[in-house]
Amino acid sequence: MPDISGLQFVKSLTNPPLVVFSTAYEDYAVEAFKVDAIDYLLKPYGYQDFLKAAVKVRQYLELKKNAETTSSAEGDDSNYIFVRADNKSVKVRLDDIFFIEAMSEYVKIHFKDGSSIMTFMSIKLMVDSLPASRFMRVHRSYIVALEVIDNMHRSEIVLSDGTILPVSASYKEVLQHYIDTHSVIRKPIH
């Protein structure tokens, strides 16, 4: 692109499409995932790499379609999702999720009982698959179950088990609004 980079172009869009970057520059991979790219292909890449990126896009679209179908069929009351882990589809109860952590091309789902599973997907796909009334992205690498937030101080939250997670500036305002709408403020007695 002669006058603008692919990253600048995607950042300029108000409703960006699914994006897979294809470039010879590895320096921009982190920035690509900050704009929720589905994948980042480093040239020269082979057919297998291209196919892997295409599969990610297809999985994203299927999961989003399934989430929309489930939520329209059940309202927003569905209490589980399915994810691929260990070469099988695993049912994950939403009530069991503590927080979700992005790990490169994977996400790690941490459960309230201390266990976890890894699945091959982007954090964007995961956040789009979860009900916004129960889960919130608080950082480019973290989604948290709202019910387990114990407190927020400056740029971090403390979960009910003492886990501390960072809150990035881009998500802090939305989280603060959520906390404010659920706060009980004492009115002074006159």
Side-chain angles (χ1 to χ4, degrees):
M1 297 174 60
D3 297 326
I4 188 172
S5 75
L7 277 168
Q8 291 169 328
F9 176 69
V10 171
K11 287 178 181 178
S12 73
L13 300 173
T14 54
N15 191 13
L18 299 180
V19 176
V20 175
F21 285 98
S22 171
T23 180
Y25 305 101
E26 64 184 32
D27 301 342
Y28 302 106
V30 172
E31 286 299 312
F33 288 107
K34 284 183 180 178
V35 296
D36 294 323
I38 299 294
D39 209 345
Y40 191 88
L41 297 174
L42 190 59
K43 295 177 184 176
Y45 55 87
Y47 178 73
Q48 289 301 319
D49 295 325
F50 178 80
L51 186 61
K52 187 176 170 183
V55 166
K56 277 181 157 177
V57 171
R58 188 181 77 213
Q59 286 176 335
Y60 177 89
L61 292 171
E62 287 175 357
L63 193 53
K64 188 170 182 177
K65 180 182 172 187
N66 289 341
E68 289 170 358
T69 303
T70 300
S71 66
S72 65
E74 300 179 11
D76 281 329
D77 296 332
S78 62
N79 59 1
Y80 61 87
I81 58 172
F82 281 93
V83 298
R84 293 287 297 167
D86 300 323
N87 295 317
K88 59 187 173 193
S89 293
V90 178
K91 185 178 191 176
V92 174
R93 289 179 24 85
L94 299 182
D95 291 339
D96 296 339
I97 298 174
F98 201 55
F99 69 94
I100 299 164
E101 178 180 10
M103 303 183 92
S104 187
E105 298 177 335
Y106 294 83
V107 294
K108 185 174 188 178
I109 303 171
H110 297 266
F111 296 106
K112 292 175 183 172
D113 68 3
S115 65
S116 63
I117 61 171
M118 297 270 287
T119 184
F120 182 71
M121 70 171 57
S122 69
I123 196 152
K124 178 175 176 26
L125 172 57
M126 183 58 77
V127 79
D128 288 348
S129 302
L130 296 169
S133 61
R134 298 182 62 188
F135 295 90
M136 183 179 293
R137 190 168 183 181
V138 295
H139 186 273
R140 68 181 173 90
S141 298
Y142 295 101
I143 300 168
V144 66
L146 293 169
E147 70 180 28
V148 303
I149 296 174
D150 193 43
N151 66 72
M152 181 173 110
H153 181 68
R154 295 188 182 150
S155 294
E156 59 187 28
I157 54 173
V158 179
L159 306 185
S160 58
D161 73 341
T163 299
I164 298 172
L165 297 178
V167 176
S168 64
S170 56
Y171 298 102
K172 188 174 182 176
E173 186 177 327
V174 175
L175 178 60
Q176 187 63 57
H177 177 72
Y178 170 80
I179 290 172
D180 290 346
T181 60
H182 290 83
S183 294
V184 177
I185 300 172
R186 292 185 133 176
K187 294 182 181 179
I189 300 173
H190 291 26

